[in-house]
Amino acid sequence: MSGAADREAVFPTRQSLGLMKAKLKGAETGHSLLKRKSEALTKRFREITRRIDEAKRKMGRVMQIASLSLAEVTYAVGGNISFQIQESARSARFRLRTKQENVSGVLLPAFESYLTEGNNDFAMTGLGKGGQQVQRCRETYARAVEALVELASLQTAFVILDEVIKVVNRRVNAIEHVIIPRTENTIKYINSELDELDREEFYRLKKVAAKKQRDNAETDAEMKQKRENQEALDREAGESAAADDSAPADILAVDEDEDVIF
Amino acid sequence: MEGLLFNVNNGYIEGIVRGYRNGLLTGANYTNMTQCETIDDLKLQLGPAYGDFLASLPPNPSTSSLAAKTTDKLVAEFRYVRANAVGSLAKFMDYLTYGYMIDNVALLITGTLHERDTRELLDRCHPLGWFETMPVLCVATNIEELYNSVLIETPLAPYFKGSLSHQDLDELNIEIVRNTLYKNYLEDFYHFVNNNPDMAGTPTAEVMSEILEFEADRRAINITLNSFGTELSKADRKKLYPSFGMLYPEGTLMLSRADDFEGVRLAVEGVGDYKSFFEAAGLGGGAGGPGNMAGGTGSDGKTLEDMFYQKEMEISKMAFTRQFTYAIVYAWVKLREQEIRNITWIAECIAQNQKERINNYISVF
């Protein structure tokens, strides 16, 4: 039994018993709250995992289509246009907004993509030939990037949630398996110590009472003895007083009594 | 008549080019290629045609390196032919390279405009469009210097003259510059094949006129279709149309006024071939039309672009039925370019495991 070892270092007093009881109650409330939080997070986590799976499959498809459309551009234009594209791009058309989502007190970043309208830096690329393919390829890649953004925000949420769930579960387990048993042990210990003290006190009182009784009995016996002696004396004196006036014994006149000591 | 003396100067070249034409991949080759499971298989299939050029590639090469190597072969053969050409054929072949030069110069202008180190760009230039003074273009650090002291030294100088000032280079979109140059180039080329004493009235002039007219029309139609929804104004657009071709002048005038796919269709109605292209493309869900950015899967039918390529290939193929003409050199280069595109497309489809569209290549033999 871990009883003696696994408890807090407190003096077994009634005050600390009260403190411990409050602590136990707090720990139990905290435990149930954290447990609920962990469950909520896990639910969210599962949902995100499912969505990541979906997003990844979607990304695979979209990227395939996108790279094929790039091949189409190469076919139609008949050359490498990457440099022109790179140079003519001036400002980003596809932008991201970040916002935060609150799941049971955990802030998850969420990315939201949007297209800036009327921003087509290379609208004229492939004017002579292949322009339509270039534009179509651009649209396809915009969709591919959208899928990537979605996946990115899911992945970030996944990592963060994973971390948080681990911490919360650790706390739940710590409360459940360490703090609550320890507090309970401490309370048990304090109770047993207090009981021990009670018993000791009771025994002591009993001892005192027993001693007193014995002392009383002794004094009583002494008194009785003394009285008997006196009576015997009186009788002797009465016999002699009968002879000589047999005056009643004058108690006051008699020599002082021995002091009675209790 | 032209056959009398043609072979004195150009017989060897014609023989060589006809030999090269026989080396082009045939339909059976393409069918074999589409059955390939990996790029390595494809490389094996290409062995007879491209063996020595593909030998240095690592196993499972990327499609871009495959394309680069196949282009290398074209460039090597072209240079050999060019080195053996004399007189007006040499000039003709120079004209052929100007189209690539325009692309290269546009690339360098873009680099200069954005103050990049243009030396890096030399590697990206198309080797066919290489000219001796091209590295000099890199010396210029600003656009005015480029225009005043460097561009005038290039073979393209006449195309700049009169239509573009150095302010234009700075302000206009590079695509407009490129297409202006290309328009001037096509007109000049057209003029050259029809007025050079060696070519005027020969099959060369006849065949080349057909090819160049088609090229001019194709550019006009493409520019119109691609400019919908951009800031290119109709007046500016009109300036980019070459001033010859089957559509010129009524068709181009109508094109310059077209606002949508339907307008373009009406403009080209007068030419039977284009009309049928547009009808086919229109049936395919208007794939050529702007705003229809279904993207991704694309249309199942052939796009307008595909049909233009198909037509170009057929014209090129027909060029070989003529004797004593320079046009076969042009046709051969175009056929080879299409072959490279086909190989790249098939390789891309194999690499991405998208077999359902692998048959989109164009084969005419």
Side-chain angles (χ1 to χ4, degrees):
Chain A
M1 189 61 194
S2 55
D6 192 21
R7 61 174 156 81
E8 282 167 53
V10 288
F11 287 109
T13 59
R14 289 204 177 271
Q15 189 191 8
S16 55
L17 181 67
L19 276 178
M20 279 302 135
K21 279 190 172 155
K23 191 172 171 182
L24 182 65
K25 204 162 168 11
E28 271 162 1
T29 323
H31 175 252
S32 83
L33 278 177
L34 279 176
K35 189 106 187 164
R36 259 183 277 163
K37 178 177 176 179
S38 147
E39 271 158 16
L41 290 179
T42 314
K43 179 169 169 282
R44 186 62 186 229
F45 188 67
R46 295 228 172 91
E47 190 196 319
I48 284 179
T49 321
R50 191 174 47 77
R51 276 168 59 194
I52 284 182
D53 181 54
E54 272 168 24
K56 280 201 170 160
R57 280 169 211 277
K58 185 179 162 203
M59 182 194 71
R61 277 197 310 276
V62 172
M63 288 311 271
Q64 202 174 25
I65 292 169
S67 57
L68 194 71
S69 80
L70 185 62
E72 247 175 63
V73 169
T74 326
Y75 181 81
V77 179
N80 199 346
I81 54 164
S82 59
F83 185 77
Q84 293 163 34
I85 298 282
Q86 280 165 31
E87 288 305 322
S88 55
R90 276 183 213 93
S91 63
R93 181 167 171 273
F94 192 93
R95 294 170 194 234
L96 283 186
R97 246 183 234 119
T98 54
K99 54 177 191 180
Q100 285 187 321
E101 207 183 332
N102 196 333
V103 180
S104 323
V106 185
L107 292 177
L108 297 178
F111 302 115
E112 194 186 337
S113 55
Y114 65 100
L115 293 172
T116 45
E117 286 308 318
N119 182 357
N120 195 348
D121 279 339
F122 43 91
M124 292 210 215
T125 306
L127 193 61
K129 50 181 175 180
Q132 289 149 44
Q133 276 81 358
V134 172
Q135 296 307 319
R136 197 151 56 211
C137 182
R138 197 185 59 147
E139 300 286 325
T140 325
Y141 266 94
R143 258 202 299 276
V145 175
E146 228 167 79
L148 284 182
V149 166
E150 195 193 330
L151 186 61
S153 74
L154 285 176
Q155 291 271 39
T156 327
F158 181 83
V159 171
I160 292 175
L161 266 187
D162 187 40
E163 195 67 22
V164 170
I165 285 178
K166 252 188 238 162
V167 169
V168 170
N169 277 345
R170 205 178 299 142
R171 280 191 194 146
V172 170
N173 286 341
I175 290 180
E176 189 177 339
H177 296 291
V178 179
I179 294 183
I180 290 181
R182 180 191 287 177
T183 318
E184 278 170 350
N185 272 339
T186 315
I187 289 172
K188 220 182 279 168
Y189 160 75
I190 293 174
N191 274 336
S192 71
E193 286 295 291
L194 286 178
D195 284 355
E196 186 73 26
L197 276 179
D198 277 353
R199 271 197 298 278
E200 231 167 62
E201 185 69 20
F202 182 66
Y203 182 72
R204 200 169 60 85
L205 283 178
K206 233 163 66 182
K207 267 289 198 222
V208 168
K211 175 118 167 80
K212 240 183 201 166
Q213 217 169 2
R214 207 176 56 220
D215 284 358
N216 277 347
E218 239 166 58
T219 11
D220 283 357
E222 222 168 78
M223 289 280 280
K224 204 173 175 183
Q225 187 71 41
K226 221 178 249 174
R227 214 172 288 143
E228 274 167 13
N229 284 351
Q230 193 67 43
E231 273 171 22
L233 225 68
D234 282 352
R235 215 173 316 153
E236 257 171 54
E239 277 168 15
S240 60
D244 28 285
D245 295 334
S246 67
D250 185 357
I251 294 171
L252 293 175
V254 183
D255 300 338
E256 295 229 336
D257 289 334
E258 252 182 80
D259 287 337
V260 179
I261 299 164
F262 287 101
Chain B
M1 178 60 201
E2 69 276 357
L4 202 60
L5 297 168
F6 185 86
N7 281 348
V8 174
N9 285 326
N10 306 314
Y12 176 67
I13 303 290
E14 189 180 358
I16 290 282
V17 173
R18 281 180 190 277
Y20 285 153
R21 172 228 174 277
N22 285 339
L24 291 171
L25 299 173
T26 62
N29 289 125
Y30 282 121
T31 316
N32 284 343
M33 279 161 65
T34 54
Q35 304 299 318
C36 293
E37 291 294 326
T38 64
I39 302 282
D40 272 339
D41 288 350
L42 186 72
K43 211 171 112 182
L44 206 66
Q45 289 290 339
L46 289 173
Y50 288 95
D52 33 347
F53 283 90
L54 297 183
S56 60
L57 284 178
N60 274 324
S62 69
T63 49
S64 56
S65 58
L66 200 66
K69 288 292 173 194
T70 45
T71 311
D72 280 351
K73 190 186 176 205
L74 169 64
V75 173
E77 290 175 354
F78 185 87
R79 286 198 177 136
Y80 177 73
V81 173
R82 173 68 186 86
N84 283 289
V86 288
S88 52
L89 177 57
K91 186 94 179 91
F92 178 85
M93 290 187 71
D94 285 343
Y95 263 99
L96 232 171
T97 60
Y98 290 168
Y100 303 97
M101 282 184 199
I102 290 173
D103 281 343
N104 288 352
V105 168
L107 188 68
L108 292 176
I109 290 174
T110 320
T112 314
L113 274 178
H114 292 90
E115 289 165 0
R116 292 295 154 94
D117 186 5
T118 39
R119 270 170 205 85
E120 290 168 15
L121 295 177
L122 289 179
D123 295 337
R124 294 164 180 262
C125 288
H126 197 289
L128 278 187
W130 186 272
F131 51 93
E132 265 175 39
T133 51
M134 201 163 78
V136 183
L137 283 176
C138 300
V139 175
T141 48
N142 60 48
I143 211 75
E144 196 176 338
E145 204 175 278
L146 185 76
Y147 186 82
N148 285 333
S149 56
V150 189
L151 278 179
I152 52 160
E153 297 294 328
T154 69
L156 300 178
Y159 306 144
F160 279 97
K161 207 165 71 186
S163 55
L164 291 165
S165 67
H166 70 83
Q167 282 95 348
D168 287 345
L169 287 190
D170 227 348
E171 288 158 9
L172 285 176
N173 190 305
I174 187 67
E175 284 297 319
I176 297 177
V177 173
R178 181 205 302 271
N179 284 293
T180 312
L181 290 178
Y182 213 90
K183 165 198 181 258
N184 291 341
Y185 156 69
L186 280 179
E187 284 169 1
D188 189 35
F189 201 177
Y190 190 72
H191 182 263
F192 171 71
V193 294
N194 281 306
N195 291 292
N196 189 287
D198 282 346
M199 281 181 273
T202 65
T204 307
E206 220 173 289
V207 177
M208 280 313 293
S209 294
E210 190 192 351
I211 294 178
L212 290 175
E213 277 170 6
F214 170 73
E215 182 68 28
D217 291 343
R218 175 165 82 165
R219 286 197 84 82
I221 295 172
N222 269 333
I223 288 171
T224 315
L225 284 178
N226 291 336
S227 66
F228 296 149
T230 64
E231 66 260 36
L232 188 65
S233 71
K234 284 182 182 171
D236 286 338
R237 197 165 80 196
K238 195 160 186 281
K239 285 186 204 151
L240 301 178
Y241 299 146
S243 59
F244 65 98
M246 284 186 271
L247 291 175
Y248 186 78
E250 297 89 358
T252 32
L253 188 70
M254 284 172 81
L255 274 182
S256 69
R257 292 179 183 158
D259 283 316
D260 51 14
F261 186 71
E262 200 55 30
V264 180
R265 202 180 61 77
L266 282 175
V268 301
E269 205 121 76
V271 183
D273 277 339
Y274 306 148
K275 194 184 167 192
S276 58
F277 289 169
F278 269 78
E279 272 162 11
L283 286 178
N292 182 359
M293 298 295 189
T297 56
S299 58
D300 293 332
K302 296 207 160 187
T303 61
L304 206 58
E305 208 90 39
D306 284 341
M307 281 181 284
F308 278 134
Y309 274 135
Q310 179 82 37
K311 175 77 179 160
E312 187 185 16
M313 289 308 102
E314 270 156 21
I315 297 175
S316 300
K317 189 185 171 188
M318 291 314 283
F320 280 93
T321 62
R322 308 297 287 265
Q323 198 77 36
F324 310 126
T325 165
Y326 300 155
I328 56 163
V329 181
Y330 187 93
W332 162 66
V333 171
K334 291 294 162 193
L335 285 167
R336 278 301 288 278
E337 280 203 316
Q338 181 62 35
E339 183 177 299
I340 291 167
R341 273 198 298 271
N342 286 342
I343 292 172
T344 318
W345 174 254
I346 291 174
E348 202 71 59
C349 285
I350 290 172
Q352 295 180 20
N353 221 350
Q354 296 267 323
K355 288 294 185 61
E356 61 265 31
R357 298 187 61 205
I358 201 167
N359 289 318
N360 269 17
Y361 62 85
I362 294 163
S363 161
V364 286
F365 290 111

